[in-house]
Amino acid sequence: MDYVCDVPGKAPLPDTAWLDGAPPPGRKTWFLIETEAEAIRESALMGHAVEKHFRQAQARAEASYVPPAGPFIEQQIGLKAHVRRTMPRFFTLRDPEGNGLATAMVPAGAGCPIIVGIGNRDPYVEHGEAIRVLAAHLGIPLDRGRCYPYGR
């Protein structure tokens, strides 16, 4: 997984010293899910089907690749970059202990992002601020009415 951005935690009291180096309570971090193995782990951790959606998106992106004309051996050179450009990005929100809190799928270009919590529950209740931070980082709206598929 690749680091994306931090979500500020609750500010400690002014006289509280974090001597053990632990982050402030409530701190969360968004990561990019980059591999099928990470998607499998996310599905198991979160109790939803992100693994299936990751595999389907990757297969569609790979199938849409048109290699440039040239020697056969060089035809797959641009595949990885093509997949990165065309495949939706998958994100996971984690707490400081690495527990999964929410998963987001953000399509490349047009399309409707999907954000779900553990077991497909509504993540906006507990993690709305973290979702707003990701939206600001990506420069796109990620409002509940549009992104939480079970609240429509």
Side-chain angles (χ1 to χ4, degrees), residues 17-44:
W18 293 94
L19 299 175
D20 62 358
R27 180 169 218 144
K28 302 168 189 170
T29 304
W30 284 102
F31 294 95
L32 180 66
I33 298 171
E34 299 178 293
T35 67
E36 185 177 327
E38 292 169 352
I40 291 168
R41 171 111 171 91
E42 183 77 0
S43 283

PDB file of all heavy atoms in Angstrom, residues 17-44:
ATOM      1  N   ALA A  17       2.033  15.592  27.115  1.00  0.00           N
ATOM      2  CA  ALA A  17       3.247  15.293  26.366  1.00  0.00           C
ATOM      3  C   ALA A  17       3.128  13.889  25.799  1.00  0.00           C
ATOM      4  O   ALA A  17       2.794  12.954  26.509  1.00  0.00           O
ATOM      5  CB  ALA A  17       4.458  15.403  27.276  1.00  0.00           C
ATOM      6  N   TRP A  18       3.400  13.744  24.535  1.00  0.00           N
ATOM      7  CA  TRP A  18       3.351  12.436  23.889  1.00  0.00           C
ATOM      8  C   TRP A  18       4.732  11.820  23.972  1.00  0.00           C
ATOM      9  O   TRP A  18       5.465  11.714  22.995  1.00  0.00           O
ATOM     10  CB  TRP A  18       2.863  12.576  22.444  1.00  0.00           C
ATOM     11  CG  TRP A  18       1.445  13.017  22.422  1.00  0.00           C
ATOM     12  CD1 TRP A  18       0.984  14.282  22.321  1.00  0.00           C
ATOM     13  CD2 TRP A  18       0.303  12.194  22.589  1.00  0.00           C
ATOM     14  NE1 TRP A  18      -0.387  14.309  22.392  1.00  0.00           N
ATOM     15  CE2 TRP A  18      -0.829  13.033  22.555  1.00  0.00           C
ATOM     16  CE3 TRP A  18       0.112  10.825  22.755  1.00  0.00           C
ATOM     17  CZ2 TRP A  18      -2.124  12.545  22.681  1.00  0.00           C
ATOM     18  CZ3 TRP A  18      -1.175  10.364  22.874  1.00  0.00           C
ATOM     19  CH2 TRP A  18      -2.272  11.218  22.844  1.00  0.00           C
ATOM     20  N   LEU A  19       5.102  11.390  25.172  1.00  0.00           N
ATOM     21  CA  LEU A  19       6.441  10.869  25.417  1.00  0.00           C
ATOM     22  C   LEU A  19       6.709   9.555  24.705  1.00  0.00           C
ATOM     23  O   LEU A  19       7.842   9.255  24.359  1.00  0.00           O
ATOM     24  CB  LEU A  19       6.668  10.698  26.919  1.00  0.00           C
ATOM     25  CG  LEU A  19       6.572  11.992  27.741  1.00  0.00           C
ATOM     26  CD1 LEU A  19       6.697  11.683  29.221  1.00  0.00           C
ATOM     27  CD2 LEU A  19       7.631  12.974  27.299  1.00  0.00           C
ATOM     28  N   ASP A  20       5.680   8.773  24.500  1.00  0.00           N
ATOM     29  CA  ASP A  20       5.901   7.470  23.867  1.00  0.00           C
ATOM     30  C   ASP A  20       5.905   7.545  22.343  1.00  0.00           C
ATOM     31  O   ASP A  20       6.087   6.550  21.665  1.00  0.00           O
ATOM     32  CB  ASP A  20       4.855   6.462  24.331  1.00  0.00           C
ATOM     33  CG  ASP A  20       3.436   6.866  23.961  1.00  0.00           C
ATOM     34  OD1 ASP A  20       3.245   7.944  23.368  1.00  0.00           O
ATOM     35  OD2 ASP A  20       2.524   6.083  24.265  1.00  0.00           O
ATOM     36  N   GLY A  21       5.714   8.724  21.777  1.00  0.00           N
ATOM     37  CA  GLY A  21       5.748   8.888  20.331  1.00  0.00           C
ATOM     38  C   GLY A  21       4.477   8.451  19.631  1.00  0.00           C
ATOM     39  O   GLY A  21       4.421   8.432  18.408  1.00  0.00           O
ATOM     40  N   ALA A  22       3.444   8.111  20.371  1.00  0.00           N
ATOM     41  CA  ALA A  22       2.181   7.678  19.764  1.00  0.00           C
ATOM     42  C   ALA A  22       1.481   8.873  19.131  1.00  0.00           C
ATOM     43  O   ALA A  22       1.595   9.996  19.608  1.00  0.00           O
ATOM     44  CB  ALA A  22       1.285   7.052  20.827  1.00  0.00           C
ATOM     45  N   PRO A  23       0.748   8.644  18.041  1.00  0.00           N
ATOM     46  CA  PRO A  23       0.012   9.745  17.424  1.00  0.00           C
ATOM     47  C   PRO A  23      -1.145  10.168  18.324  1.00  0.00           C
ATOM     48  O   PRO A  23      -1.569   9.408  19.189  1.00  0.00           O
ATOM     49  CB  PRO A  23      -0.503   9.138  16.116  1.00  0.00           C
ATOM     50  CG  PRO A  23      -0.529   7.679  16.353  1.00  0.00           C
ATOM     51  CD  PRO A  23       0.563   7.388  17.343  1.00  0.00           C
ATOM     52  N   PRO A  24      -1.650  11.376  18.128  1.00  0.00           N
ATOM     53  CA  PRO A  24      -2.803  11.812  18.915  1.00  0.00           C
ATOM     54  C   PRO A  24      -3.977  10.868  18.710  1.00  0.00           C
ATOM     55  O   PRO A  24      -4.105  10.256  17.645  1.00  0.00           O
ATOM     56  CB  PRO A  24      -3.122  13.197  18.340  1.00  0.00           C
ATOM     57  CG  PRO A  24      -1.894  13.633  17.643  1.00  0.00           C
ATOM     58  CD  PRO A  24      -1.200  12.389  17.188  1.00  0.00           C
ATOM     59  N   PRO A  25      -4.850  10.737  19.709  1.00  0.00           N
ATOM     60  CA  PRO A  25      -6.005   9.857  19.571  1.00  0.00           C
ATOM     61  C   PRO A  25      -6.852  10.264  18.370  1.00  0.00           C
ATOM     62  O   PRO A  25      -7.000  11.440  18.074  1.00  0.00           O
ATOM     63  CB  PRO A  25      -6.788  10.077  20.867  1.00  0.00           C
ATOM     64  CG  PRO A  25      -5.871  10.774  21.789  1.00  0.00           C
ATOM     65  CD  PRO A  25      -4.813  11.438  20.977  1.00  0.00           C
ATOM     66  N   GLY A  26      -7.378   9.286  17.683  1.00  0.00           N
ATOM     67  CA  GLY A  26      -8.257   9.567  16.561  1.00  0.00           C
ATOM     68  C   GLY A  26      -7.562   9.759  15.229  1.00  0.00           C
ATOM     69  O   GLY A  26      -8.217   9.912  14.214  1.00  0.00           O
ATOM     70  N   ARG A  27      -6.248   9.768  15.191  1.00  0.00           N
ATOM     71  CA  ARG A  27      -5.533   9.970  13.929  1.00  0.00           C
ATOM     72  C   ARG A  27      -5.791   8.786  12.992  1.00  0.00           C
ATOM     73  O   ARG A  27      -5.773   7.640  13.402  1.00  0.00           O
ATOM     74  CB  ARG A  27      -4.050  10.118  14.164  1.00  0.00           C
ATOM     75  CG  ARG A  27      -3.318  10.315  12.854  1.00  0.00           C
ATOM     76  CD  ARG A  27      -1.898  10.720  13.056  1.00  0.00           C
ATOM     77  NE  ARG A  27      -1.611  11.675  12.017  1.00  0.00           N
ATOM     78  CZ  ARG A  27      -0.841  12.705  12.157  1.00  0.00           C
ATOM     79  NH1 ARG A  27      -0.284  12.955  13.300  1.00  0.00           N
ATOM     80  NH2 ARG A  27      -0.620  13.508  11.155  1.00  0.00           N
ATOM     81  N   LYS A  28      -6.024   9.110  11.733  1.00  0.00           N
ATOM     82  CA  LYS A  28      -6.300   8.095  10.712  1.00  0.00           C
ATOM     83  C   LYS A  28      -5.457   8.412   9.483  1.00  0.00           C
ATOM     84  O   LYS A  28      -5.047   9.550   9.284  1.00  0.00           O
ATOM     85  CB  LYS A  28      -7.782   8.115  10.346  1.00  0.00           C
ATOM     86  CG  LYS A  28      -8.701   7.879  11.531  1.00  0.00           C
ATOM     87  CD  LYS A  28     -10.143   8.202  11.196  1.00  0.00           C
ATOM     88  CE  LYS A  28     -10.989   8.162  12.450  1.00  0.00           C
ATOM     89  NZ  LYS A  28     -12.330   8.698  12.229  1.00  0.00           N
ATOM     90  N   THR A  29      -5.230   7.406   8.646  1.00  0.00           N
ATOM     91  CA  THR A  29      -4.420   7.587   7.450  1.00  0.00           C
ATOM     92  C   THR A  29      -5.066   6.874   6.271  1.00  0.00           C
ATOM     93  O   THR A  29      -5.543   5.744   6.406  1.00  0.00           O
ATOM     94  CB  THR A  29      -2.992   7.025   7.670  1.00  0.00           C
ATOM     95  OG1 THR A  29      -2.422   7.662   8.811  1.00  0.00           O
ATOM     96  CG2 THR A  29      -2.109   7.268   6.462  1.00  0.00           C
ATOM     97  N   TRP A  30      -5.059   7.539   5.120  1.00  0.00           N
ATOM     98  CA  TRP A  30      -5.516   6.936   3.874  1.00  0.00           C
ATOM     99  C   TRP A  30      -4.329   6.340   3.135  1.00  0.00           C
ATOM    100  O   TRP A  30      -3.266   6.971   3.040  1.00  0.00           O
ATOM    101  CB  TRP A  30      -6.182   7.970   2.969  1.00  0.00           C
ATOM    102  CG  TRP A  30      -7.566   8.358   3.382  1.00  0.00           C
ATOM    103  CD1 TRP A  30      -7.931   9.501   4.028  1.00  0.00           C
ATOM    104  CD2 TRP A  30      -8.774   7.622   3.165  1.00  0.00           C
ATOM    105  NE1 TRP A  30      -9.294   9.510   4.230  1.00  0.00           N
ATOM    106  CE2 TRP A  30      -9.836   8.373   3.705  1.00  0.00           C
ATOM    107  CE3 TRP A  30      -9.052   6.393   2.560  1.00  0.00           C
ATOM    108  CZ2 TRP A  30     -11.156   7.939   3.659  1.00  0.00           C
ATOM    109  CZ3 TRP A  30     -10.370   5.955   2.522  1.00  0.00           C
ATOM    110  CH2 TRP A  30     -11.413   6.724   3.062  1.00  0.00           C
ATOM    111  N   PHE A  31      -4.515   5.132   2.598  1.00  0.00           N
ATOM    112  CA  PHE A  31      -3.512   4.456   1.793  1.00  0.00           C
ATOM    113  C   PHE A  31      -4.143   4.039   0.470  1.00  0.00           C
ATOM    114  O   PHE A  31      -5.344   3.763   0.409  1.00  0.00           O
ATOM    115  CB  PHE A  31      -2.990   3.196   2.497  1.00  0.00           C
ATOM    116  CG  PHE A  31      -2.224   3.474   3.756  1.00  0.00           C
ATOM    117  CD1 PHE A  31      -2.864   3.440   4.982  1.00  0.00           C
ATOM    118  CD2 PHE A  31      -0.870   3.771   3.720  1.00  0.00           C
ATOM    119  CE1 PHE A  31      -2.172   3.689   6.159  1.00  0.00           C
ATOM    120  CE2 PHE A  31      -0.164   4.014   4.881  1.00  0.00           C
ATOM    121  CZ  PHE A  31      -0.805   3.972   6.110  1.00  0.00           C
ATOM    122  N   LEU A  32      -3.319   3.945  -0.572  1.00  0.00           N
ATOM    123  CA  LEU A  32      -3.754   3.463  -1.872  1.00  0.00           C
ATOM    124  C   LEU A  32      -3.533   1.961  -1.947  1.00  0.00           C
ATOM    125  O   LEU A  32      -2.435   1.477  -1.654  1.00  0.00           O
ATOM    126  CB  LEU A  32      -2.949   4.159  -2.978  1.00  0.00           C
ATOM    127  CG  LEU A  32      -3.272   3.786  -4.420  1.00  0.00           C
ATOM    128  CD1 LEU A  32      -4.688   4.228  -4.783  1.00  0.00           C
ATOM    129  CD2 LEU A  32      -2.253   4.426  -5.357  1.00  0.00           C
ATOM    130  N   ILE A  33      -4.560   1.228  -2.310  1.00  0.00           N
ATOM    131  CA  ILE A  33      -4.442  -0.222  -2.515  1.00  0.00           C
ATOM    132  C   ILE A  33      -3.903  -0.407  -3.936  1.00  0.00           C
ATOM    133  O   ILE A  33      -4.537   0.016  -4.906  1.00  0.00           O
ATOM    134  CB  ILE A  33      -5.811  -0.920  -2.353  1.00  0.00           C
ATOM    135  CG1 ILE A  33      -6.321  -0.721  -0.925  1.00  0.00           C
ATOM    136  CG2 ILE A  33      -5.717  -2.398  -2.723  1.00  0.00           C
ATOM    137  CD1 ILE A  33      -7.757  -1.184  -0.718  1.00  0.00           C
ATOM    138  N   GLU A  34      -2.730  -1.035  -4.047  1.00  0.00           N
ATOM    139  CA  GLU A  34      -2.062  -1.117  -5.345  1.00  0.00           C
ATOM    140  C   GLU A  34      -2.035  -2.508  -5.967  1.00  0.00           C
ATOM    141  O   GLU A  34      -1.823  -2.633  -7.169  1.00  0.00           O
ATOM    142  CB  GLU A  34      -0.618  -0.635  -5.208  1.00  0.00           C
ATOM    143  CG  GLU A  34      -0.508   0.803  -4.754  1.00  0.00           C
ATOM    144  CD  GLU A  34       0.920   1.233  -4.581  1.00  0.00           C
ATOM    145  OE1 GLU A  34       1.597   0.717  -3.666  1.00  0.00           O
ATOM    146  OE2 GLU A  34       1.368   2.069  -5.386  1.00  0.00           O
ATOM    147  N   THR A  35      -2.213  -3.551  -5.174  1.00  0.00           N
ATOM    148  CA  THR A  35      -2.075  -4.898  -5.707  1.00  0.00           C
ATOM    149  C   THR A  35      -3.299  -5.747  -5.372  1.00  0.00           C
ATOM    150  O   THR A  35      -4.069  -5.444  -4.453  1.00  0.00           O
ATOM    151  CB  THR A  35      -0.833  -5.599  -5.128  1.00  0.00           C
ATOM    152  OG1 THR A  35      -1.043  -5.816  -3.727  1.00  0.00           O
ATOM    153  CG2 THR A  35       0.438  -4.790  -5.356  1.00  0.00           C
ATOM    154  N   GLU A  36      -3.424  -6.837  -6.111  1.00  0.00           N
ATOM    155  CA  GLU A  36      -4.514  -7.767  -5.852  1.00  0.00           C
ATOM    156  C   GLU A  36      -4.401  -8.355  -4.442  1.00  0.00           C
ATOM    157  O   GLU A  36      -5.408  -8.536  -3.753  1.00  0.00           O
ATOM    158  CB  GLU A  36      -4.484  -8.882  -6.898  1.00  0.00           C
ATOM    159  CG  GLU A  36      -5.644  -9.828  -6.800  1.00  0.00           C
ATOM    160  CD  GLU A  36      -5.625 -10.876  -7.899  1.00  0.00           C
ATOM    161  OE1 GLU A  36      -5.183 -10.589  -9.020  1.00  0.00           O
ATOM    162  OE2 GLU A  36      -6.073 -12.001  -7.611  1.00  0.00           O
ATOM    163  N   ALA A  37      -3.177  -8.628  -3.993  1.00  0.00           N
ATOM    164  CA  ALA A  37      -2.970  -9.173  -2.641  1.00  0.00           C
ATOM    165  C   ALA A  37      -3.473  -8.192  -1.586  1.00  0.00           C
ATOM    166  O   ALA A  37      -4.088  -8.600  -0.589  1.00  0.00           O
ATOM    167  CB  ALA A  37      -1.498  -9.496  -2.417  1.00  0.00           C
ATOM    168  N   GLU A  38      -3.236  -6.901  -1.792  1.00  0.00           N
ATOM    169  CA  GLU A  38      -3.732  -5.897  -0.843  1.00  0.00           C
ATOM    170  C   GLU A  38      -5.253  -5.833  -0.880  1.00  0.00           C
ATOM    171  O   GLU A  38      -5.892  -5.656   0.165  1.00  0.00           O
ATOM    172  CB  GLU A  38      -3.121  -4.529  -1.167  1.00  0.00           C
ATOM    173  CG  GLU A  38      -1.638  -4.458  -0.894  1.00  0.00           C
ATOM    174  CD  GLU A  38      -0.971  -3.223  -1.449  1.00  0.00           C
ATOM    175  OE1 GLU A  38      -1.599  -2.446  -2.196  1.00  0.00           O
ATOM    176  OE2 GLU A  38       0.216  -3.027  -1.130  1.00  0.00           O
ATOM    177  N   ALA A  39      -5.840  -5.985  -2.054  1.00  0.00           N
ATOM    178  CA  ALA A  39      -7.300  -5.986  -2.183  1.00  0.00           C
ATOM    179  C   ALA A  39      -7.903  -7.204  -1.486  1.00  0.00           C
ATOM    180  O   ALA A  39      -8.948  -7.104  -0.836  1.00  0.00           O
ATOM    181  CB  ALA A  39      -7.706  -5.938  -3.651  1.00  0.00           C
ATOM    182  N   ILE A  40      -7.235  -8.349  -1.596  1.00  0.00           N
ATOM    183  CA  ILE A  40      -7.694  -9.565  -0.916  1.00  0.00           C
ATOM    184  C   ILE A  40      -7.678  -9.344   0.595  1.00  0.00           C
ATOM    185  O   ILE A  40      -8.637  -9.666   1.300  1.00  0.00           O
ATOM    186  CB  ILE A  40      -6.824 -10.773  -1.311  1.00  0.00           C
ATOM    187  CG1 ILE A  40      -7.074 -11.144  -2.774  1.00  0.00           C
ATOM    188  CG2 ILE A  40      -7.074 -11.967  -0.396  1.00  0.00           C
ATOM    189  CD1 ILE A  40      -6.072 -12.116  -3.351  1.00  0.00           C
ATOM    190  N   ARG A  41      -6.605  -8.771   1.083  1.00  0.00           N
ATOM    191  CA  ARG A  41      -6.484  -8.490   2.527  1.00  0.00           C
ATOM    192  C   ARG A  41      -7.566  -7.508   2.976  1.00  0.00           C
ATOM    193  O   ARG A  41      -8.166  -7.666   4.031  1.00  0.00           O
ATOM    194  CB  ARG A  41      -5.096  -7.943   2.820  1.00  0.00           C
ATOM    195  CG  ARG A  41      -4.916  -7.409   4.211  1.00  0.00           C
ATOM    196  CD  ARG A  41      -3.996  -8.255   5.041  1.00  0.00           C
ATOM    197  NE  ARG A  41      -3.667  -7.606   6.302  1.00  0.00           N
ATOM    198  CZ  ARG A  41      -4.369  -7.793   7.421  1.00  0.00           C
ATOM    199  NH1 ARG A  41      -5.394  -8.599   7.431  1.00  0.00           N
ATOM    200  NH2 ARG A  41      -4.028  -7.180   8.535  1.00  0.00           N
ATOM    201  N   GLU A  42      -7.816  -6.491   2.170  1.00  0.00           N
ATOM    202  CA  GLU A  42      -8.841  -5.496   2.501  1.00  0.00           C
ATOM    203  C   GLU A  42     -10.222  -6.147   2.574  1.00  0.00           C
ATOM    204  O   GLU A  42     -10.996  -5.870   3.487  1.00  0.00           O
ATOM    205  CB  GLU A  42      -8.829  -4.364   1.469  1.00  0.00           C
ATOM    206  CG  GLU A  42      -9.791  -3.247   1.757  1.00  0.00           C
ATOM    207  CD  GLU A  42      -9.328  -2.292   2.845  1.00  0.00           C
ATOM    208  OE1 GLU A  42      -8.237  -2.470   3.421  1.00  0.00           O
ATOM    209  OE2 GLU A  42     -10.076  -1.337   3.124  1.00  0.00           O
ATOM    210  N   SER A  43     -10.525  -7.028   1.630  1.00  0.00           N
ATOM    211  CA  SER A  43     -11.815  -7.725   1.653  1.00  0.00           C
ATOM    212  C   SER A  43     -11.984  -8.548   2.920  1.00  0.00           C
ATOM    213  O   SER A  43     -13.038  -8.535   3.547  1.00  0.00           O
ATOM    214  CB  SER A  43     -11.950  -8.648   0.433  1.00  0.00           C
ATOM    215  OG  SER A  43     -12.245  -7.913  -0.711  1.00  0.00           O
ATOM    216  N   ALA A  44     -10.933  -9.271   3.290  1.00  0.00           N
ATOM    217  CA  ALA A  44     -10.994 -10.101   4.497  1.00  0.00           C
ATOM    218  C   ALA A  44     -11.133  -9.237   5.750  1.00  0.00           C
ATOM    219  O   ALA A  44     -11.919  -9.545   6.651  1.00  0.00           O
ATOM    220  CB  ALA A  44      -9.750 -10.977   4.592  1.00  0.00           C
TER     221      ALA A  44
END
